[in-house]
Amino acid sequence: MFDVGVCDRGVYVAMELVEGVTLRTWLKEQARGWREVLALFVQAGSGLAAAHEAGLVHHDFKPDNVLVGARGGPWSATSAWRACTRSPAPT
């Protein structure tokens, strides 16, 4: 995300323009080796983990909401992110 704010029409989220296809399309458009698929899934999981560490949760993470950019790498295609608060760890 580049910016988040409020304007006279409501809240906005400015995200990078990613030229590519959805993860679902990427998986179906050609046969891919398990290493290539695993590498992309690990990148997506690492991105989710980093977002969780920053206090953000994506409430609709699925293949249709992930873009695989023409330059490679997965990107969230939605603004379905929510801030979360953490409960203290049990003692």
Side-chain angles (χ1 to χ4, degrees):
M1 287 181 230
F2 287 119
D3 192 20
V4 177
V6 178
C7 65
D8 55 338
R9 293 182 148 184
V11 176
Y12 69 88
V13 177
M15 298 168 40
E16 180 177 352
L17 173 63
V18 177
E19 294 185 24
V21 297
T22 67
L23 177 57
R24 181 178 308 280
T25 299
W26 183 82
L27 289 167
K28 288 182 178 182
E29 69 186 359
Q30 71 182 51
R32 300 186 186 278
W34 68 267
R35 286 180 177 88
E36 182 181 13
V37 173
L38 179 61
L40 189 73
F41 282 25
V42 167
Q43 286 180 337
S46 295
L48 281 175
H52 292 171
E53 283 297 314
L56 295 172
V57 175
H58 194 290
H59 72 89
D60 196 21
F61 195 81
K62 59 187 178 187
D64 290 328
N65 289 341
V66 175
L67 292 177
V68 180
R71 294 176 290 160
W75 302 84
S76 171
T78 69
S79 58
W81 293 96
R82 302 290 182 264
C84 65
T85 57
R86 293 185 181 199
S87 300
T91 56

